[in-house]
Amino acid sequence: MRTLLEVSGVSVSFDGFKAINNLSFQIAEGELRAVIGPNGAGKTTFMDIVTGKTRPDEGYVIWGERSVNLLKMSEAQIAQAGIGRKFQRPTVFEDQSVFDNLIMSLKNDRGPLGVLLYRRSARDNERVQELAEEIGLTDHLHRKAGELSHGQKQWLEIGMLLAQEPRLLLVDEPAAGMTLAEREHTTNLLKQAAKTRAVVVVEHDMEFVRRLDCKVTVLHEGSVLAEGSLDHVTQNQDVIDVYLGR
Amino acid sequence: MKTARFSFLLGLSLLLMALLVPQPIQAQTIQDILQEHEEIIAKGSRRTIQPAIDALRDSGLPEAQRVMELWQDKALWQRKDDKQFFLTEPLEGRTLQLIDLISGQPVGTAEKSDLKQIKPNSGVRGLIGAALVQFQLMDPHPLTRRDSLIAIQRDPKPTHLPALRGAIEGETDPDLKALKERLERLLTITYGETDAERIIAIESFAGDLGVDARAALNPILTTTRVAVTEASDVNIARQLTPGQNDFTADDAYALLIAENLAYPAISNDEKRLALVANVVDGQVAGFAVETLNTYEARDQAYSALAAEGLVPADVTRAAQQKALQRHEFYDVYNEPSQAVTDAARGTLQAIETRVGLNQTADLALDGLSLASIYFLAAIGLAITFGVMGVINMAHGEFIMMGAYTGYVVQLFIPDYTLSIIAALPLAFAITFAAGVAMERTVIRWLYHRPLETLLATFGISIALQQLAKNIFGTQARPLTAPGWLDGAWVINDVVSISYIRIAIFVLALIFFALLLFILKRTRLGLEVRAVTQNPKMAASMGINTDKINMLTFGLGSGIAGIAGVAIGLFAQVTANLGSGYIVQSFMTVVVGGVGNIWGTLAGATMIGSLQKIIEFFNPSNTLAAQTYMVIFIIIFIQFRPRGIIALRGRAAGD
Amino acid sequence: MQRSFIARNPSVLIFLGILAVFTLGATILSEGFGIGLISTSMIKTLGKTLCLCLIAIAMDLVWGYCGILSLGHFAFFGLGGYMIGMWLMYARTENIILTSLAQAPIPPTDDEIRSAIGNQIFGVVGGSDFPLIWAFADSLTIQLVLVVLVPGLLALVFGWLAFRSRVTGVYLSILTQAMTLALSLYLFQNDSGLRGNNGLSGLQNIPGAKGVPQSVISIWFLWASAIALALGYILAAWMMSGKFGSVIRGIRDDEARVRFLGYSVETYKLVIFTVTAIIAAIAGALYYPQAGIINPAEIAPIASIYLAVWVAIGGRGRIYGAVIGAALVSLLSTWFTGGQAPSIPLGFYTIHWVDWWQVLLGVTFVLVTLFAPQGIGGAIDRLVRKGTQL
């Protein structure tokens, strides 16, 4: 499998505190990966760096087969290049309908003029219907997103990410605050998504990670502590120390 | 006590004894001296009179000054037969009462025909006057001496110089002596007899900051612009080439005209008038009037008129050019001696350098004082903005309320010192209460909606402004500073700062220290900082965030009230007082960095000094200064969007 | 799914209808074309109000829809007024000068005409030379282009600087206020080239319309303003009802989400900021010929804040809300401050509305912000919803 994203030797510090310390990380095309780690391990900062929100002090981030340097791109350009990001808390446009939320996310021209003159095609309508079905919101298409339940909002956001047709999906704690049934649905969604693209899931919940059944990377104090299957890393002495010891 | 009184009495008696000791008996009386010089006095010629004046001046006789004054006033009479001098008073007819010069007693009468009135001409009177100046300069009373020095300083004359020189040696008061010596040097610059002594005097002022020194030196370097056919023996400042360095060909030609060296060219206006005067049947010299709507056409018509001899011929550009080439143009010093002008230039340069340094210092003081005003105005805003993320557009109106509080207090307490002392805490209390009331009724419902807070507080702001207008009227109300704050601390002729500004600076320092103390060393400060950094966490740790918000807002508003009293002392108290400071205050907070007293200090210092620097380069135009200021801030924010002292990292938010 | 523009924006038809009835009615009742029930000055006030409604739409787009509380849009409004004012003043002065010079025994040269105009215009600020910015004042076409170009460029440059450095929220508001302040202070200077605090005056006299009475000119401008407002309304509704509007509202509600969806938030903000600045400038260019005079005080930051007040009272995020707010508050303000409102005697004190209107406005504004953040438009929406449910 070809490498899709390569992060190497990245460090960043805030007021002297090293949030990310010489982190190197790779993900291949179509791979599903879980990233775990205690609070303050640098999981969110890692996502911030990949998506362009935070500029690292050193290191580089290389993307795709043409080896583009992501550090020189803006957030919007990175998103257009094919990296989707889901935030910890569900962030959908609550004032707008589910339909509009999805239409806005569909992979189309992002320039102001193109958007202004945009006319919905039959294909776009179809795509929205498909996505709605996939995330289980077909009946809610014309409700305002703000009226949805917490879980539905999470799915809507995942649906919006899928609408972008990214090649890499970064998902921050998708299962937080969900009921058991909702979790199952979420797991399926992510597994489904990972069939056609790479997905990185940051998660606290070991049960959820086990269900994803994928390679796991353990972060600690801003760098990779261990990598491998879940069983492999949970037997690693360093990981046990970090999670249980201290 | 007893010994003190005793020594006082002893001193008094010693003084009396000194006064009672008889003066050494003079060999000569005033009449003797006059008689000695009787001939030249009677002759009264400016050229020969000096020995008589010198003799009188140097006689040391107590009545010499009075006699000279009488002489100057044409009150001296001379008896023709024995040449004695008297004063007179008219009796009946042509008889005059003779009065003794010394005793002032009548000593007989005489017919007017037997007497001759001494009438010194103006030249002689001038010489007497100069000698009299010396008397004043040597007057036993120091105040008189000082007054006469000041009079000379104000209106120096060449005759003052010898008088001043004669009066230096006997001076006992060291201050006055220094003053006399300085004045002597100043006069020597202008009136010294030889170039050498003038140059020494000039060079003695190198680096002197006194305005008087520059006032004496500058006239030496004044120039006159001249046009000559060839350079003669003059002290040339610089040669001018027409068309270079602001000296246009038109300027040069105008100079030639002014010196009657060339004929003036006919201006476009004059040509038009000449043409108008020569319109005949809709034509001017064969040109139809309708065609004369360009200068070229008018020139042709005018030339035609000139050819007919109806108007004076124009001086063409080429002719002007030729005239310019025939002449040379100079700026010439009015002072003929080059050595003197060189010395003056050198000295002035040395002075300018020092003046520049001192102006920088003065500018720094000005900037500091403006900074302290901005700091006082902005710090309350910085607290509420920093701690609560609330933009209070009514902050300016709290400043206004403080100023009006000061005004109202002065209505009740006439003593300005007491009223200010009473107004400061009262203004704090009133605006504190207003701030708390506003927080409770409006702002606390709008947390997390900062833009709406901005607008709601703006609504309060316009309502408060109009209320103030309704209560106090639209005209400015005075808030008078106590007398001891009048005046300024003058360090030298360049550097000075008014006491009010010093007081405001001190006030700002006090509040800076006080706030630092409250925030860093008290329980309240700890809780405030906790709420600033993480309100939810603070609340879960048992801090009453509601109370903290209320107190913080009150504190911020209260300081605005105090700032209002301070600002009211030097500005007019009107309903719009605060709105003039609100934008600057926001700038201060934004430039300094939010949520940090040091940031506000840095912001105020930067904005204050910057404004003064811009004003220094463009003193005539404070509006432009403010424009550039705001543009600068907009650009500054490009590079430091979170201010000079910024929180960095994740705490700073998105 | 695909619905027509009108179907998506039912308010457009209603609004256009009301506007047409209003304009026609005013014309019929006017002195210039009708039975003379409405005075010419009232027609001018109504025409000006339409212009204020137009700039309120611009403010609503930038603030209500995009979440940028700009305290600078009145500066663009004023700049538009200045640009058209330069031509009005120049052309009219030229007419006067040409008329008076026509009496001269020999015809004037171009240079003489120009310096006479210069003297006439800049005499009050002690000058007679034309500043560089007046280079095109003699051309209506170029000045009309400048009405769009100058405020547009200013908005573009300022917006680019501000958005690029990610200045948002209250910081941005303060920054726009600073820009407005800088501009008005600059214009207050005598050597700004725009006659300092004298401003430009006599703008109600339209060159080329000699002999046409003001009562007729006022109707022309009423119609021009009404058409501009109608076009502005349609443009705003069209822009905001489609996907573009979705993105813009998305930026208001969650900037980061829009960014991570791949939209360049800064570019969109810049577009909306500049477009609304241009709308504001056009509104200003129509307003000041009706007002007759423009001076730097019009641009002072306070004016832009009032603009925000109108939009807030009318209801943000609804185009008709902005129109209602601007029309209602500015007309009420004229009524109250014009001395027509009846005083209220309380026995011990008489409330003169000239003195108390500002207090009332301020308090109303606080109350609206606190209790009716959706403004009048919000109330209308609730009524309509209730009506459709029944």
Side-chain angles (χ1 to χ4, degrees):
Chain A
M1 272 197 293
R2 276 181 307 175
T3 307
L4 183 62
L5 176 77
E6 184 186 350
V7 175
S8 72
V10 166
S11 298
V12 66
S13 57
F14 301 123
D15 289 334
F17 163 69
K18 278 219 159 179
I20 294 285
N21 187 8
N22 197 18
L23 174 75
S24 295
F25 179 93
Q26 284 187 353
I27 186 149
E29 231 163 309
E31 188 187 346
L32 175 62
R33 176 82 65 93
V35 175
I36 61 173
N39 270 332
K43 292 168 302 198
T44 305
T45 310
F46 159 69
M47 284 197 166
D48 284 348
I49 288 171
V50 174
T51 52
K53 192 178 171 194
T54 302
R55 304 271 159 212
D57 302 332
E58 54 188 79
Y60 53 91
V61 181
I62 302 293
W63 166 257
E65 50 279 351
R66 272 195 277 158
S67 298
V68 192
N69 184 359
L70 287 188
L71 298 182
K72 290 207 173 129
M73 293 158 72
S74 71
E75 290 105 312
Q77 285 168 328
I78 291 173
Q80 284 176 35
I83 298 181
R85 176 177 185 181
K86 199 205 147 305
F87 290 97
Q88 209 162 327
R89 265 181 295 163
T91 51
V92 294
F93 302 109
E94 308 212 341
D95 197 34
Q96 305 188 36
S97 69
V98 173
F99 185 84
D100 283 343
N101 266 291
L102 289 171
I103 280 287
M104 218 194 302
S105 317
L106 282 183
K107 187 173 181 171
N108 275 318
D109 184 3
R110 282 337 194 197
L113 197 65
V115 171
L116 194 59
L117 301 175
Y118 169 79
R119 287 188 67 82
R120 224 157 44 228
S121 63
R123 204 190 139 271
D124 287 349
N125 279 331
E126 240 168 71
R127 272 291 289 154
V128 170
Q129 290 297 341
E130 276 170 31
L131 283 165
E133 210 159 307
E134 205 174 335
I135 57 178
L137 292 175
T138 312
D139 298 338
H140 305 285
L141 265 181
H142 290 287
R143 283 177 70 192
K144 278 203 175 175
E147 298 165 2
L148 300 177
S149 73
H150 176 79
Q152 286 172 322
K153 282 183 196 167
Q154 295 278 41
W155 297 331
L156 173 57
E157 194 179 0
I158 293 173
M160 286 162 72
L161 290 180
L162 295 176
Q164 270 179 273
E165 295 172 27
R167 296 173 64 194
L168 170 65
L169 204 52
L170 301 172
V171 187
D172 204 349
E173 300 197 21
M178 279 191 174
T179 63
L180 207 62
E182 284 172 339
R183 277 170 192 233
E184 207 141 330
H185 188 136
T186 310
T187 321
N188 292 338
L189 266 178
L190 291 175
K191 277 182 153 174
Q192 189 68 31
K195 282 181 183 159
T196 47
R197 71 206 79 225
V199 177
V200 175
V201 181
V202 165
E203 190 49 79
H204 266 317
D205 188 333
M206 285 301 174
E207 210 37 53
F208 188 83
V209 172
R210 186 171 299 282
R211 210 173 291 157
L212 285 177
D213 187 25
C214 63
K215 191 173 168 186
V216 174
T217 300
V218 184
L219 284 190
H220 176 57
E221 287 177 353
S223 39
V224 175
L225 189 67
E227 212 163 56
S229 71
L230 184 63
D231 291 330
H232 171 77
V233 296
T234 45
Q235 276 154 22
N236 184 312
Q237 192 54 44
D238 290 340
V239 176
I240 294 168
D241 285 349
V242 165
Y243 266 89
L244 305 171
R246 293 211 224 210
Chain B
M1 275 312 275
K2 223 170 206 172
T3 46
R5 189 177 298 160
F6 175 69
S7 59
F8 171 67
L9 285 174
L10 187 72
L12 198 67
S13 49
L14 279 174
L15 194 71
L16 277 172
M17 272 158 66
L19 286 173
L20 288 174
V21 168
Q23 298 276 315
I25 294 158
Q26 296 292 325
Q28 272 185 315
T29 68
I30 196 94
Q31 191 65 261
D32 293 340
I33 298 169
L34 289 173
Q35 287 308 315
E36 204 172 302
H37 301 282
E38 178 272 325
E39 221 168 295
I40 53 172
I41 290 173
K43 188 181 167 201
S45 158
R46 187 184 187 281
R47 247 173 293 155
T48 52
I49 199 71
Q50 199 60 45
I53 295 173
D54 288 350
L56 279 171
R57 189 186 61 202
D58 301 336
S59 67
L61 290 170
E63 60 275 6
Q65 185 183 350
R66 203 180 117 67
V67 167
M68 285 172 79
E69 279 166 7
L70 290 165
W71 181 17
Q72 196 183 18
D73 291 348
K74 304 176 189 172
L76 278 190
W77 294 72
Q78 190 177 30
R79 195 149 59 195
K80 282 181 182 167
D81 51 359
D82 63 354
K83 311 288 187 198
Q84 290 286 314
F85 291 91
F86 297 97
L87 301 178
T88 62
E89 255 174 39
L91 295 173
E92 74 270 21
R94 298 185 57 78
T95 316
L96 294 172
Q97 176 81 59
L98 295 179
I99 296 166
D100 186 67
L101 284 178
I102 301 166
S103 64
Q105 298 298 317
V107 287
T109 60
E111 286 301 302
K112 205 170 185 177
S113 54
D114 296 334
L115 295 170
K116 181 191 173 195
Q117 187 182 8
I118 305 296
K119 287 183 181 167
N121 63 26
S122 64
V124 174
R125 284 207 307 279
L127 292 178
I128 301 172
L132 278 169
V133 165
Q134 192 174 342
F135 276 111
Q136 279 177 0
L137 287 172
M138 297 169 75
D139 192 278
H141 210 292
L143 276 181
T144 315
R145 298 208 293 275
R146 182 176 291 272
D147 286 348
S148 69
L149 278 175
I150 291 169
I152 292 175
Q153 212 163 16
R154 238 177 247 148
D155 184 20
K157 291 209 168 56
T159 51
H160 291 150
L161 187 54
L164 195 56
R165 283 182 179 160
I168 289 175
E169 205 158 314
E171 181 59 59
T172 48
D173 184 322
D175 283 356
L176 280 178
K177 183 157 187 163
L179 209 59
K180 281 181 177 175
E181 279 167 355
R182 180 180 173 85
L183 194 54
E184 187 268 333
R185 283 187 292 141
L186 282 172
L187 289 182
T188 308
I189 290 178
T190 322
Y191 304 120
E193 269 168 23
T194 64
D195 287 352
E197 75 173 341
R198 292 178 67 192
I199 289 168
I200 290 170
I202 288 169
E203 281 168 353
S204 74
F205 280 101
D208 192 300
L209 289 177
V211 177
D212 52 353
R214 272 171 281 160
L217 286 169
N218 277 321
I220 294 178
L221 294 180
T222 53
T223 57
T224 309
R225 194 156 279 187
V226 295
V228 289
T229 40
E230 60 190 80
S232 53
D233 185 24
V234 286
N235 186 2
I236 293 169
R238 60 196 172 115
Q239 182 167 13
L240 301 160
T241 315
Q244 281 179 17
N245 303 335
D246 294 346
F247 186 66
T248 62
D250 285 347
D251 289 344
Y253 197 72
L255 190 63
L256 289 183
I257 296 167
E259 299 199 353
N260 284 323
L261 293 169
Y263 294 108
I266 312 291
S267 75
N268 283 331
D269 253 8
E270 288 164 335
K271 277 183 198 164
R272 182 172 54 81
L273 291 174
L275 293 177
V276 169
N278 287 290
V279 176
V280 182
D281 297 336
Q283 285 199 327
V284 180
F287 292 88
V289 161
E290 301 83 55
T291 62
L292 296 178
N293 61 353
T294 62
Y295 289 124
E296 291 75 31
R298 289 184 185 179
D299 279 349
Q300 286 173 7
Y302 189 87
S303 306
L305 282 178
E308 290 175 35
L310 292 169
V311 291
D314 191 12
V315 181
T316 61
R317 279 272 154 196
Q320 290 185 24
Q321 199 57 43
K322 258 185 202 153
L324 292 186
Q325 277 162 6
R326 275 199 304 276
H327 293 90
E328 287 174 359
F329 300 88
Y330 298 102
D331 276 339
V332 172
Y333 287 119
N334 298 341
E335 165 66 46
S337 161
Q338 198 187 346
V340 171
T341 49
D342 285 350
R345 207 171 37 241
T347 306
L348 267 176
Q349 259 162 21
I351 291 179
E352 290 310 328
T353 314
R354 278 207 62 197
V355 166
L357 283 174
N358 277 276
Q359 263 170 347
T360 313
D362 192 52
L363 202 64
L365 276 183
D366 276 357
L368 213 58
S369 116
L370 193 64
S372 48
I373 293 167
Y374 285 161
F375 177 79
L376 273 179
I379 185 66
L381 200 68
I383 293 171
T384 50
F385 192 17
V387 175
M388 300 145 83
V390 163
I391 279 273
N392 179 12
M393 293 293 275
H395 186 78
E397 277 54 54
F398 287 153
I399 293 178
M400 180 251 317
M401 278 166 81
Y404 272 119
T405 307
Y407 163 72
V408 171
V409 168
Q410 285 199 337
L411 292 183
F412 292 97
I413 307 178
D415 183 296
Y416 291 145
T417 306
L418 281 181
S419 67
I420 293 298
I421 291 171
L424 286 173
L426 198 62
F428 183 88
I430 287 178
T431 47
F432 182 93
V436 168
M438 189 166 124
E439 200 273 340
R440 286 288 89 181
T441 53
V442 177
I443 288 175
R444 87 177 146 131
W445 309 106
L446 296 175
Y447 287 130
H448 314 300
R449 284 151 72 189
L451 288 183
E452 291 176 27
T453 324
L454 193 152
L455 289 171
T457 51
F458 168 72
I460 295 171
S461 150
I462 54 175
L464 283 178
Q465 256 188 51
Q466 186 61 45
L467 270 179
K469 274 183 201 154
N470 292 354
I471 296 170
F472 295 101
T474 42
Q475 76 269 44
R477 299 289 172 177
L479 177 55
T480 317
W484 48 270
L485 279 180
D486 290 346
W489 180 33
V490 180
I491 298 164
N492 58 39
D493 279 7
V494 179
V495 188
S496 71
I497 181 165
S498 71
Y499 289 129
I500 282 197
R501 289 179 176 264
I502 296 177
I504 289 174
F505 179 68
V506 172
L507 200 65
L509 275 189
I510 291 173
F511 271 93
F512 178 65
L514 198 66
L515 284 172
L516 265 190
F517 174 79
I518 290 178
L519 285 181
K520 296 270 150 104
R521 292 271 183 275
T522 64
R523 176 76 200 171
L524 175 69
L526 185 70
E527 295 188 353
V528 165
R529 279 182 294 146
V531 174
T532 312
Q533 279 155 21
N534 193 339
K536 276 185 197 148
M537 181 65 92
S540 65
M541 287 170 70
I543 293 173
N544 186 346
T545 51
D546 241 24
K547 197 183 94 189
I548 292 295
N549 281 338
M550 189 178 81
L551 285 180
T552 317
F553 206 85
L555 184 68
S557 312
I559 294 172
I562 298 225
V565 176
I567 289 170
L569 286 179
F570 65 87
Q572 298 277 29
V573 182
T574 65
N576 302 327
L577 173 81
S579 51
Y581 282 89
I582 189 77
V583 177
Q584 251 90 351
S585 301
F586 279 130
M587 294 295 133
T588 303
V589 175
V590 169
V591 165
V594 171
N596 190 318
I597 300 179
W598 287 100
T600 311
L601 186 73
T605 311
M606 190 170 119
I607 290 191
S609 357
L610 202 69
Q611 183 156 343
K612 280 294 162 192
I613 289 170
I614 299 174
E615 274 176 25
F616 174 76
F617 285 114
N618 193 359
S620 61
N621 204 334
T622 49
L623 284 177
Q626 289 184 46
T627 314
Y628 297 137
M629 182 75 215
V630 174
I631 292 172
F632 170 83
I633 290 169
I634 292 174
I635 293 169
F636 175 84
I637 289 183
Q638 295 301 307
F639 296 101
R640 300 220 58 156
R642 304 221 160 256
I644 301 172
I645 295 177
L647 300 170
R648 204 175 158 253
R650 284 164 64 166
D654 297 324
Chain C
M1 261 356 268
Q2 198 94 16
R3 294 183 299 159
S4 73
F5 170 68
I6 297 297
R8 276 177 295 146
N9 295 282
S11 80
V12 170
L13 269 190
I14 302 170
F15 172 78
L16 290 181
I18 294 174
L19 185 65
V21 168
F22 164 83
T23 317
L24 270 173
T27 310
I28 290 167
L29 297 177
S30 73
E31 289 174 349
F33 283 92
I35 56 177
L37 266 182
I38 302 181
S39 70
T40 299
S41 74
M42 189 63 203
I43 292 288
K44 283 190 179 180
T45 304
L46 294 178
K48 285 191 287 182
T49 306
L50 294 181
C51 299
L52 296 179
C53 291
L54 182 56
I55 188 184
I57 289 179
M59 184 68 186
D60 197 21
L61 291 191
V62 79
W63 178 38
Y65 282 89
C66 197
I68 303 168
L69 177 50
S70 162
L71 298 180
H73 268 59
F74 233 89
F76 303 127
F77 185 84
L79 272 183
Y82 263 108
M83 289 306 131
I84 198 69
M86 283 160 75
W87 175 76
L88 285 169
M89 196 154 179
Y90 182 92
R92 176 161 173 272
T93 315
E94 190 181 30
N95 275 345
I96 296 171
I97 295 291
L98 285 181
T99 316
S100 75
L101 285 181
Q103 316 296 322
I106 60 173
T109 63
D110 293 348
D111 195 43
E112 279 169 344
I113 296 172
R114 203 168 163 76
S115 75
I117 298 173
N119 251 324
Q120 186 75 20
I121 295 180
F122 300 108
V124 284
V125 288
S128 65
D129 294 339
F130 274 92
L132 203 60
I133 45 173
W134 286 72
F136 306 110
D138 56 344
S139 157
L140 173 61
T141 325
I142 294 180
Q143 286 301 133
L144 281 178
V145 171
L146 289 183
V147 163
V148 171
L149 213 57
V150 170
L153 271 180
L154 177 64
L156 197 67
V157 170
F158 177 87
W160 184 76
L161 286 172
F163 300 136
R164 188 189 66 105
S165 50
R166 300 264 168 102
V167 180
T168 54
V170 286
Y171 282 91
L172 188 63
S173 302
I174 298 299
L175 209 57
T176 53
Q177 191 182 15
M179 176 201 76
T180 317
L181 183 71
L183 186 69
S184 75
L185 286 176
Y186 175 76
L187 289 174
F188 262 118
Q189 297 173 64
N190 277 345
D191 53 4
S192 65
L194 289 166
R195 307 201 339 145
N197 65 346
N198 305 288
L200 308 180
S201 55
L203 310 183
Q204 72 277 22
N205 304 300
I206 310 303
K210 218 172 173 186
V212 182
Q214 284 292 318
S215 57
V216 173
I217 290 178
S218 64
I219 295 292
W220 293 355
F221 272 100
L222 180 73
W223 278 89
S225 308
I227 290 168
L229 177 59
L231 291 177
Y233 196 101
I234 294 169
L235 177 75
W238 175 69
M239 279 173 80
M240 289 306 124
S241 62
K243 185 165 149 190
F244 187 81
S246 277
V247 175
I248 293 295
R249 276 179 289 164
I251 289 172
R252 173 192 67 193
D253 296 334
D254 196 330
E255 209 177 298
R257 177 75 273 173
V258 179
R259 201 170 273 138
F260 288 121
L261 279 181
Y263 293 96
S264 168
V265 169
E266 285 67 42
T267 313
Y268 278 81
K269 281 184 175 176
L270 195 55
V271 167
I272 204 83
F273 193 73
T274 310
V275 167
T276 53
I278 290 172
I279 296 176
I282 292 172
L286 282 167
Y287 180 93
Y288 286 104
Q290 302 181 67
I293 182 164
I294 178 169
N295 61 46
E298 304 269 332
I299 293 180
I302 189 93
S304 296
I305 303 183
Y306 276 122
L307 181 59
V309 171
W310 300 339
V311 175
I313 288 182
R316 276 167 288 163
R318 297 161 180 81
I319 300 166
Y320 57 89
V323 173
I324 292 171
L328 189 74
V329 182
S330 71
L331 282 178
L332 271 182
S333 174
T334 313
W335 190 60
F336 275 115
T337 55
Q340 282 115 312
S343 298
I344 303 176
L346 296 175
F348 57 94
Y349 182 84
T350 307
I351 294 179
H352 296 291
W353 284 112
V354 178
D355 293 337
W356 286 92
W357 158 245
Q358 293 270 320
V359 180
L360 180 71
L361 182 65
V363 173
T364 310
F365 191 43
V366 175
L367 294 178
V368 166
T369 320
L370 280 180
F371 300 112
Q374 303 299 315
I376 299 170
I380 294 178
D381 278 3
R382 267 195 300 278
L383 280 179
V384 170
R385 220 172 296 140
K386 233 178 232 169
T388 50
Q389 275 165 11
L390 281 176

